């Protein structure tokens, strides 16, 4: 089944690449009005989200086959994560969620796998917005520990949280949450493996009085 979905995912990539190219060409036009630019930007963001989801499934296949690898690049992770933060602003506006980006430093150059870090941040923010009700809050923090030579990205929300009995199995594959019929486990399971490949850690804590705090340290 996984091989079938992987093959289908490869088929989706081709038309999405064509859509991406068409949007790109239109946006480069000098005669675009503001009324056209805004929906085009929304189209571009959602095309990129679809491509990310497809790439995540392909990454899941690699994980299944024990073929997850790192392609390290020197990266300003503050700027990198800020760009991902901007991608979620539209969702925050639509759900009237207070959304904050809180970096401890203005810039931080480290060697990371950008594709993996992108999936880690997207999965955690995606879950935060999925399970945070209208009028709630979500934050993305970037912290640095120079002594330990690590940095952390922390995603905090005021959503429904995770029951104590489910917290131990939170990162297991296909874990069913108690508040929805959707499975949280695939995304979080892949996220944990992407963190492990970086030799990092991921943890969950309750955001009292309600909500979740996910901390990734690399």
């Amino acid at each position: 089944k996984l091989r079938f979905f992987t093959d289908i995912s490869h088929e989706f990539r081709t038309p999405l690449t064509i859509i991406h190219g068409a949007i790109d060409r239109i946006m480069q036009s000098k005669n675009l009005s503001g009324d056209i630019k805004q929906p085009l930007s929304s189209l571009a963001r959602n095309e990129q989200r679809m491509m990310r989801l497809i790439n995540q499934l392909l990454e899941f296949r690699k994980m299944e086959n024990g073929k997850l690898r790192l392609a390290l690049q020197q990266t300003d992770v503050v700027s990198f994560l800020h760009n991902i933060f901007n991608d979620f602003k539209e969702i925050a506006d639509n759900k009237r969620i207070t959304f904050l980006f809180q970096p401890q430093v203005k810039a931080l150059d480290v060697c990371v796998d950008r594709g993996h870090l992108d999936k880690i941040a997207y999965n955690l923010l995606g879950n935060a917005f999925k399970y945070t009700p209208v009028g709630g809050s979500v934050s993305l923090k970037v912290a640095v520990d120079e002594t330990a030579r690590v940095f952390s990205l922390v995603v905090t929300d005021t959503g429904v949280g995770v029951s104590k009995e489910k917290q131990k199995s939170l990162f297991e594959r296909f874990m069913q949450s108690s508040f929805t019929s959707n499975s949280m486990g695939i995304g979080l399971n892949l996220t944990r493996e992407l963190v492990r490949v970086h030799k990092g850690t991921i943890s969950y804590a309750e955001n009292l009085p309600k909500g979740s705090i996910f901390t990734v340290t690399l």
Side-chain angles (χ1 to χ4, degrees):
K1 287 180 181 178
L2 186 59
R3 186 163 58 247
F4 167 75
F5 282 115
T6 303
D7 292 342
I8 292 295
S9 296
H10 276 295
E11 294 297 321
F12 283 150
R13 284 170 67 99
T14 301
L16 279 174
T17 301
I18 294 170
I19 290 169
H20 176 80
I23 293 171
D24 239 13
R25 285 194 299 274
I26 296 171
M27 290 186 75
Q28 288 172 15
S29 172
K30 296 178 181 178
N31 302 319
L32 286 180
S33 67
D35 291 342
I36 298 295
K37 282 183 179 179
Q38 188 172 350
L40 271 177
S41 296
S42 180
L43 279 173
R45 283 194 299 273
N46 281 285
E47 175 271 324
Q48 288 164 11
R49 282 179 194 145
M50 289 181 71
M51 190 66 85
R52 277 184 170 97
L53 289 169
I54 288 169
N55 288 339
Q56 180 171 303
L57 184 55
L58 297 177
E59 209 72 51
F60 188 74
R61 177 74 189 277
K62 289 180 188 176
M63 184 185 82
E64 285 282 278
N65 294 332
K67 293 181 179 179
L68 277 180
R69 299 288 184 270
L70 287 176
L72 297 174
Q73 292 176 276
Q74 194 76 11
T75 303
D76 177 0
V77 292
V78 174
S79 174
F80 185 86
L81 291 170
H82 188 253
N83 287 334
I84 294 174
F85 165 82
N86 286 332
D87 287 344
F88 282 86
K89 278 186 172 179
E90 185 178 2
I91 299 174
D93 290 342
N94 289 340
K95 290 187 72 175
R96 299 195 300 280
I97 287 175
T98 301
F99 188 30
L100 301 174
F101 181 62
Q102 300 170 313
Q104 186 179 317
V105 292
K106 291 183 178 179
L108 179 66
D109 286 328
V110 294
C111 279
V112 294
D113 185 308
R114 294 179 187 177
H116 289 2
L117 184 59
D118 179 274
K119 293 179 185 72
I120 290 166
Y122 253 82
N123 275 329
L124 295 181
L125 285 171
N127 274 345
F129 277 98
K130 188 175 183 179
Y131 300 117
T132 298
V134 172
S137 65
V138 174
S139 69
L140 171 60
K141 301 175 185 176
V142 184
V144 185
D145 185 335
E146 294 287 0
T147 305
R149 295 182 61 79
V150 298
F151 79 92
S152 300
L153 63 101
V154 184
V155 175
T156 304
D157 67 62
T158 59
V160 294
V162 180
S163 63
K164 289 190 183 297
E165 62 269 19
K166 294 291 180 75
Q167 289 176 19
K168 290 182 179 179
S169 59
L170 187 58
F171 298 102
E172 299 302 320
R173 198 171 312 161
F174 309 122
M175 194 283 287
Q176 296 286 331
S177 66
S178 58
F179 42 83
T180 172
S181 58
N182 295 331
S183 171
M184 295 173 66
I186 296 177
L188 287 178
N189 180 244
L190 175 60
T191 300
R192 181 184 62 178
E193 295 307 310
L194 295 175
V195 171
R196 279 182 177 176
V197 173
H198 276 91
K199 303 188 187 304
T201 61
I202 182 170
S203 62
Y204 171 84
E206 293 178 85
N207 183 28
L208 299 174
K210 63 175 183 177
S212 301
I213 303 171
F214 284 91
T215 302
V216 171
T217 301
L218 303 176

